[in-house]
C-alpha cells in the first residue's frame, strides 16, 4: 500500500504563501497551484469538493418571491422577471431580467443594448444555485454587449444572489406563451441558430398561466388533462398534516373531476399538484383555489393529533411525493 504523502505546511521555507481565495480551480489530480506539492483534491480542492456534496436545500430562501423562484426554476417553461440590484444598475446596463431559459442554454446574455438576461434553469456546479446565479450575473454585467456568458465551475466562496439583489424589491413574474422575449422587437432578424433554438423551445413549451388570486399557483395544459401546481412556503411536516386533515374531510377538491394527486419537493419547498379536467381553464381555477387557500389556512392552525383516517390520508400523500431537487 502506498504511503500517504506528509502534508506540507503552507508557511514552509521556499514556498509562496497564497490565500485560499487566490487558488484557481484545476484538475483534481493535478498539483495544487498553492505549491504544497499535493494534488489539488487533497489540498485546496477539499473545500470545493465538500461544498459540491453539501447541496443548499433552499437556495432562494431570503429572496422575495421564494415560491415563484422555485416555480420558474422547475415548473414554468417561459417567464421573465425584472431584477433590482443593490445599489442600482451599473453604467451602461439599462436593465437586468431573470429568464427561465435562454437560447442554446446560455447561462446569461448581455444584449447589444447592454441589458442583461440571466437564465434560471441551468445546472449548479457549487451545490448552491444562488451562488452559481450570482457568479453568472456578475460576469454578465462585465462582458461586452452582444456577448453570451458561458458556464463555468463556481467557487464555493463567491457571493450569493441574496447579496447582489435588492431583497426589498418586488418579484413579479410574467409568464409567456413562448420564447419570443429572446429576440428584441427592435431587431430586424434573429441569428439563424437562435431562431432555430426558439422554434424548438416554442414547440416543447407547455401552455402555463399564473393564477392571480393566490400566490405561486400555476395552471398548465397537458394532453388529456390539465394540472394546477402550487408552490407553498409552509414547513413540510406542518403542510402535510394540514393537507391530510383536508383530504380526510373531502376538502382538497377544486371542483368536479379535480383531485389532489400528490406533490413535488423542490428546493426545500412542497408543491402540491391537482389533476383537472381538460375543460377547466386557469380562469376557472381562480375561485376554487382562493376558497381552498382559506381552508388550508385554517387547517394549518390546528394542533390536534391526526385521527386514524387523517393519518392514512397523510401516508397516501407522502407515498405520492416526488423530489425534484
Amino acid at each position: 500500500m502506498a504511503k500517504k504523502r506528509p502534508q506540507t505546511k503552507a508557511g514552509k521555507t521556499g514556498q509562496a504563501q497564497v490565500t485560499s481565495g487566490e487558488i484557481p480551480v484545476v484538475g483534481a489530480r493535478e498539483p495544487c497551484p498553492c505549491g504544497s506539492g499535493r494534488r489539488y483534491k487533497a489540498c485546496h480542492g477539499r473545500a470545493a469538493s465538500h461544498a459540491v456534496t453539501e447541496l443548499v436545500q433552499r437556495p432562494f430562501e431570503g429572496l422575495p418571491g421564494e415560491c415563484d423562484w422555485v416555480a420558474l426554476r422547475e415548473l414554468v417553461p417561459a417567464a421573465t422577471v425584472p431584477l433590482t440590484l443593490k445599489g442600482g444598475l451599473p453604467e451602461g446596463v439599462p436593465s437586468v431580467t431573470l429568464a427561465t431559459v435562454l437560447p442554446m442554454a446560455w447561462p446569461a446574455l448581455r444584449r447589444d443594448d447592454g441589458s442583461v438576461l440571466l437564465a434560471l434553469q441551468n445546472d449548479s456546479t457549487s451545490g448552491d444555485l444562488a451562488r452559481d446565479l450570482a457568479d453568472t450575473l456578475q460576469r454578465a454585467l462585465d462582458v461586452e454587449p452582444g456577448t453570451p456568458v458561458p458556464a463555468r465551475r463556481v467557487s464555493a466562496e463567491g457571493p450569493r444572489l441574496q447579496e447582489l439583489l435588492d431583497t426589498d424589491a418586488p418579484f413579479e413574474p410574467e409568464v409567456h406563451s413562448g420564447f419570443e422575449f429572446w429576440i428584441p422587437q427592435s431587431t430586424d432578424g434573429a441569428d439563424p441558430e437562435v431562431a432555430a433554438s426558439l422554434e424548438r423551445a416554442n414547440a416543447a413549451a407547455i401552455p402555463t398561466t399564473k393564477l392571480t388570486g393566490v400566490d405561486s399557483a400555476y395552471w398548465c395544459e397537458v394532453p388529456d388533462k390539465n394540472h394546477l401546481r402550487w408552490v407553498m412556503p409552509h414547513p413540510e411536516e406542518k403542510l402535510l398534516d394540514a393537507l391530510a386533515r383536508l383530504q380526510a374531510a373531502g376538502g382538497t377538491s377544486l371542483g368536479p373531476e379535480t383531485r389532489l394527486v400528490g406533490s413535488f419537493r423542490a428546493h426545500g419547498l412542497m408543491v402540491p399538484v391537482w389533476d383537472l379536467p381538460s375543460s377547466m381553464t386557469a380562469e376557472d381555477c381562480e375561485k376554487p383555489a382562493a376558497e381552498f387557500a382559506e381552508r388550508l389556512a385554517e387547517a394549518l392552525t390546528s394542533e390536534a393529533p391526526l385521527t386514524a383516517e387523517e393519518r392514512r390520508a397523510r401516508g397516501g400523500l407522502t407515498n405520492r411525493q416526488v423530489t425534484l431537487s
Side-chain angles (χ1 to χ4, degrees):
M1 182 180 295
K3 294 182 179 180
K4 291 184 178 179
R5 179 178 297 176
Q7 295 187 1
T8 307
K9 294 184 179 179
K12 186 175 180 179
T13 304
Q15 178 181 315
Q17 293 188 5
V18 186
T19 65
S20 297
E22 297 170 332
I23 303 300
V25 175
V26 299
R29 294 181 176 274
E30 295 179 44
C32 187
C34 76
S36 67
R38 288 174 288 157
R39 290 178 178 178
Y40 177 71
K41 70 175 184 178
C43 191
H44 282 85
R46 281 179 172 175
S49 176
H50 185 66
V52 169
T53 59
E54 287 200 355
L55 298 178
V56 174
Q57 297 300 318
R58 288 181 64 178
F60 308 119
E61 187 175 16
L63 291 172
E66 180 187 5
C67 292
D68 286 313
W69 278 92
V70 172
L72 268 55
R73 165 74 184 182
E74 300 294 342
L75 307 174
V76 181
T80 55
V81 189
L83 297 180
T84 304
L85 305 187
K86 287 182 178 178
L89 294 167
E91 185 176 356
V93 181
S95 64
V96 175
T97 303
L98 182 72
T100 46
V101 291
L102 292 176
M104 279 76 76
W106 291 329
L109 170 66
R110 181 90 183 271
R111 282 177 161 165
D112 291 336
D113 66 354
S115 61
V116 168
L117 288 177
L118 176 67
L120 181 56
Q121 295 179 13
N122 285 88
D123 292 336
S124 171
T125 61
S126 73
D128 181 357
L129 270 170
R131 199 177 306 280
D132 294 324
L133 288 164
D135 177 82
T136 302
L137 175 56
Q138 287 185 313
R139 288 189 288 138
L141 295 172
D142 291 336
V143 299
E144 292 295 319
T147 307
V149 177
R152 75 172 184 183
R153 181 191 285 181
V154 176
S155 167
E157 300 175 353
R160 308 180 74 233
L161 276 179
Q162 288 82 344
E163 300 167 56
L164 302 184
L165 300 183
D166 182 353
T167 54
D168 292 326
F171 188 81
E172 299 174 346
E174 179 182 358
V175 178
H176 303 278
S177 59
F179 297 87
E180 282 73 19
F181 63 85
W182 287 352
I183 303 172
Q185 294 180 351
S186 58
T187 304
D188 293 334
D191 177 276
E193 197 172 5
V194 172
S197 184
L198 172 64
E199 185 175 353
R200 290 192 300 269
N202 280 346
I206 296 174
T208 301
T209 301
K210 186 178 189 297
L211 300 194
T212 60
V214 295
D215 293 333
S216 311
Y218 292 81
W219 171 95
C220 66
E221 180 182 0
V222 294
D224 300 326
K225 65 183 71 175
N226 299 333
H227 293 300
L228 183 68
R229 302 164 174 174
W230 194 337
V231 187
M232 296 186 173
H234 317 292
E236 181 173 327
E237 296 303 313
K238 188 78 173 175
L239 179 56
L240 281 170
D241 283 352
L243 290 174
R245 296 180 198 280
L246 293 176
Q247 185 90 311
T252 57
S253 173
L254 298 179
E257 299 181 61
T258 68
R259 184 168 69 98
L260 176 63
V261 292
S263 63
F264 300 124
R265 182 188 291 111
H267 305 293
L269 298 181
M270 267 187 65
V271 188
V273 179
W274 282 261
D275 274 354
L276 311 172
S278 57
S279 60
M280 191 171 188
T281 65
E283 186 177 356
D284 295 334
C285 287
E286 292 284 2
K287 183 178 179 181
E291 292 171 347
F292 172 80
E294 293 180 0
R295 296 194 297 272
L296 178 63
E298 183 177 355
L300 285 165
T301 64
S302 176
E303 298 293 340
L306 296 181
T307 65
E309 187 177 0
E310 289 168 347
R311 288 196 301 273
R312 285 193 295 270
R314 193 185 195 280
L317 291 169
T318 303
N319 291 336
R320 297 195 300 274
Q321 232 179 0
V322 176
T323 300
L324 295 182
S325 53

